[in-house]
PDB file of all heavy atoms in Angstrom:
ATOM      1  N   LEU A  18      14.170   8.954 -15.643  1.00 91.00           N
ATOM      2  CA  LEU A  18      14.184   8.291 -16.945  1.00 91.00           C
ATOM      3  C   LEU A  18      15.377   7.351 -17.035  1.00 91.00           C
ATOM      4  O   LEU A  18      16.396   7.568 -16.381  1.00 91.00           O
ATOM      5  CB  LEU A  18      14.267   9.333 -18.060  1.00 91.00           C
ATOM      6  CG  LEU A  18      13.094  10.312 -18.131  1.00 91.00           C
ATOM      7  CD1 LEU A  18      13.285  11.274 -19.288  1.00 91.00           C
ATOM      8  CD2 LEU A  18      11.790   9.562 -18.281  1.00 91.00           C
ATOM      9  N   PRO A  19      15.256   6.301 -17.872  1.00 94.00           N
ATOM     10  CA  PRO A  19      16.422   5.434 -18.059  1.00 94.00           C
ATOM     11  C   PRO A  19      17.562   6.204 -18.726  1.00 94.00           C
ATOM     12  O   PRO A  19      17.355   7.274 -19.296  1.00 94.00           O
ATOM     13  CB  PRO A  19      15.896   4.317 -18.972  1.00 94.00           C
ATOM     14  CG  PRO A  19      14.611   4.795 -19.524  1.00 94.00           C
ATOM     15  CD  PRO A  19      14.089   5.861 -18.625  1.00 94.00           C
ATOM     16  N   GLN A  20      18.775   5.650 -18.614  1.00 94.00           N
ATOM     17  CA  GLN A  20      19.925   6.297 -19.259  1.00 94.00           C
ATOM     18  C   GLN A  20      19.772   6.238 -20.771  1.00 94.00           C
ATOM     19  O   GLN A  20      19.239   5.282 -21.303  1.00 94.00           O
ATOM     20  CB  GLN A  20      21.210   5.583 -18.874  1.00 94.00           C
ATOM     21  CG  GLN A  20      21.559   5.677 -17.406  1.00 94.00           C
ATOM     22  CD  GLN A  20      22.601   4.643 -17.033  1.00 94.00           C
ATOM     23  OE1 GLN A  20      23.690   4.636 -17.573  1.00 94.00           O
ATOM     24  NE2 GLN A  20      22.248   3.753 -16.123  1.00 94.00           N
ATOM     25  N   GLN A  21      20.274   7.266 -21.426  1.00 95.00           N
ATOM     26  CA  GLN A  21      20.155   7.341 -22.874  1.00 95.00           C
ATOM     27  C   GLN A  21      21.382   6.720 -23.555  1.00 95.00           C
ATOM     28  O   GLN A  21      22.508   6.945 -23.136  1.00 95.00           O
ATOM     29  CB  GLN A  21      20.023   8.809 -23.271  1.00 95.00           C
ATOM     30  CG  GLN A  21      19.797   8.989 -24.731  1.00 95.00           C
ATOM     31  CD  GLN A  21      19.401  10.401 -25.120  1.00 95.00           C
ATOM     32  OE1 GLN A  21      19.052  10.611 -26.252  1.00 95.00           O
ATOM     33  NE2 GLN A  21      19.455  11.360 -24.224  1.00 95.00           N
ATOM     34  N   GLU A  22      21.128   5.929 -24.583  1.00 96.00           N
ATOM     35  CA  GLU A  22      22.208   5.420 -25.438  1.00 96.00           C
ATOM     36  C   GLU A  22      21.569   5.184 -26.808  1.00 96.00           C
ATOM     37  O   GLU A  22      20.919   4.158 -27.035  1.00 96.00           O
ATOM     38  CB  GLU A  22      22.774   4.094 -24.895  1.00 96.00           C
ATOM     39  CG  GLU A  22      23.955   3.623 -25.717  1.00 96.00           C
ATOM     40  CD  GLU A  22      24.425   2.217 -25.369  1.00 96.00           C
ATOM     41  OE1 GLU A  22      23.638   1.422 -24.800  1.00 96.00           O
ATOM     42  OE2 GLU A  22      25.573   1.908 -25.702  1.00 96.00           O
ATOM     43  N   ILE A  28      18.428   3.258 -25.876  1.00 98.00           N
ATOM     44  CA  ILE A  28      17.245   4.094 -25.676  1.00 98.00           C
ATOM     45  C   ILE A  28      17.563   5.520 -26.115  1.00 98.00           C
ATOM     46  O   ILE A  28      18.612   6.065 -25.739  1.00 98.00           O
ATOM     47  CB  ILE A  28      16.838   4.088 -24.189  1.00 98.00           C
ATOM     48  CG1 ILE A  28      16.275   2.704 -23.809  1.00 98.00           C
ATOM     49  CG2 ILE A  28      15.828   5.176 -23.868  1.00 98.00           C
ATOM     50  CD1 ILE A  28      16.122   2.493 -22.335  1.00 98.00           C
ATOM     51  N   VAL A  30      16.145   9.476 -25.919  1.00 96.00           N
ATOM     52  CA  VAL A  30      15.213  10.355 -25.205  1.00 96.00           C
ATOM     53  C   VAL A  30      15.133  11.651 -26.006  1.00 96.00           C
ATOM     54  O   VAL A  30      16.151  12.314 -26.211  1.00 96.00           O
ATOM     55  CB  VAL A  30      15.685  10.619 -23.758  1.00 96.00           C
ATOM     56  CG1 VAL A  30      14.734  11.567 -23.044  1.00 96.00           C
ATOM     57  CG2 VAL A  30      15.803   9.295 -22.983  1.00 96.00           C
ATOM     58  N   ALA A 254      20.861  -2.744 -18.389  1.00 95.00           N
ATOM     59  CA  ALA A 254      21.822  -1.919 -17.631  1.00 95.00           C
ATOM     60  C   ALA A 254      21.424  -0.442 -17.664  1.00 95.00           C
ATOM     61  O   ALA A 254      21.749   0.319 -16.740  1.00 95.00           O
ATOM     62  CB  ALA A 254      23.227  -2.097 -18.204  1.00 95.00           C
ATOM     63  N   LEU A 255      20.702  -0.022 -18.701  1.00 96.00           N
ATOM     64  CA  LEU A 255      20.303   1.393 -18.824  1.00 96.00           C
ATOM     65  C   LEU A 255      19.253   1.777 -17.784  1.00 96.00           C
ATOM     66  O   LEU A 255      18.981   2.960 -17.573  1.00 96.00           O
ATOM     67  CB  LEU A 255      19.757   1.668 -20.237  1.00 96.00           C
ATOM     68  CG  LEU A 255      20.757   1.432 -21.379  1.00 96.00           C
ATOM     69  CD1 LEU A 255      20.072   1.540 -22.723  1.00 96.00           C
ATOM     70  CD2 LEU A 255      21.914   2.421 -21.290  1.00 96.00           C
ATOM     71  N   PHE A 256      18.650   0.791 -17.131  1.00 96.00           N
ATOM     72  CA  PHE A 256      17.601   1.055 -16.141  1.00 96.00           C
ATOM     73  C   PHE A 256      18.128   0.983 -14.707  1.00 96.00           C
ATOM     74  O   PHE A 256      17.387   1.149 -13.768  1.00 96.00           O
ATOM     75  CB  PHE A 256      16.453   0.057 -16.308  1.00 96.00           C
ATOM     76  CG  PHE A 256      15.617   0.343 -17.512  1.00 96.00           C
ATOM     77  CD1 PHE A 256      16.057  -0.006 -18.773  1.00 96.00           C
ATOM     78  CD2 PHE A 256      14.390   0.988 -17.381  1.00 96.00           C
ATOM     79  CE1 PHE A 256      15.288   0.268 -19.902  1.00 96.00           C
ATOM     80  CE2 PHE A 256      13.615   1.254 -18.495  1.00 96.00           C
ATOM     81  CZ  PHE A 256      14.065   0.901 -19.756  1.00 96.00           C
ATOM     82  N   ILE A 257      19.407   0.649 -14.583  1.00 91.00           N
ATOM     83  CA  ILE A 257      19.978   0.499 -13.256  1.00 91.00           C
ATOM     84  C   ILE A 257      20.922   1.669 -13.033  1.00 91.00           C
ATOM     85  O   ILE A 257      21.757   1.973 -13.877  1.00 91.00           O
ATOM     86  CB  ILE A 257      20.768  -0.821 -13.159  1.00 91.00           C
ATOM     87  CG1 ILE A 257      19.820  -1.994 -13.423  1.00 91.00           C
ATOM     88  CG2 ILE A 257      21.419  -0.963 -11.805  1.00 91.00           C
ATOM     89  CD1 ILE A 257      20.578  -3.280 -13.701  1.00 91.00           C
ATOM     90  N   GLU A 258      20.770   2.320 -11.892  1.00 74.00           N
ATOM     91  CA  GLU A 258      21.654   3.430 -11.559  1.00 74.00           C
ATOM     92  C   GLU A 258      23.086   2.939 -11.506  1.00 74.00           C
ATOM     93  O   GLU A 258      23.365   1.947 -10.839  1.00 74.00           O
ATOM     94  CB  GLU A 258      21.278   4.001 -10.204  1.00 74.00           C
ATOM     95  CG  GLU A 258      20.427   5.247 -10.330  1.00 74.00           C
ATOM     96  CD  GLU A 258      20.132   5.821  -8.970  1.00 74.00           C
ATOM     97  OE1 GLU A 258      21.066   6.369  -8.361  1.00 74.00           O
ATOM     98  OE2 GLU A 258      18.981   5.692  -8.539  1.00 74.00           O
ATOM     99  N   SER A 259      23.972   3.604 -12.204  1.00 64.00           N
ATOM    100  CA  SER A 259      25.367   3.153 -12.162  1.00 64.00           C
ATOM    101  C   SER A 259      25.945   3.375 -10.762  1.00 64.00           C
ATOM    102  O   SER A 259      25.674   4.388 -10.144  1.00 64.00           O
ATOM    103  CB  SER A 259      26.201   3.850 -13.236  1.00 64.00           C
ATOM    104  OG  SER A 259      25.623   5.092 -13.562  1.00 64.00           O
TER     105      SER A 259
END
Side-chain angles (χ1 to χ4, degrees):
L18 298 181
Q20 295 164 60
Q21 184 169 188
E22 184 189 22
I28 290 168
V30 178
L255 299 172
F256 286 78
I257 299 165
E258 261 183 72
S259 26

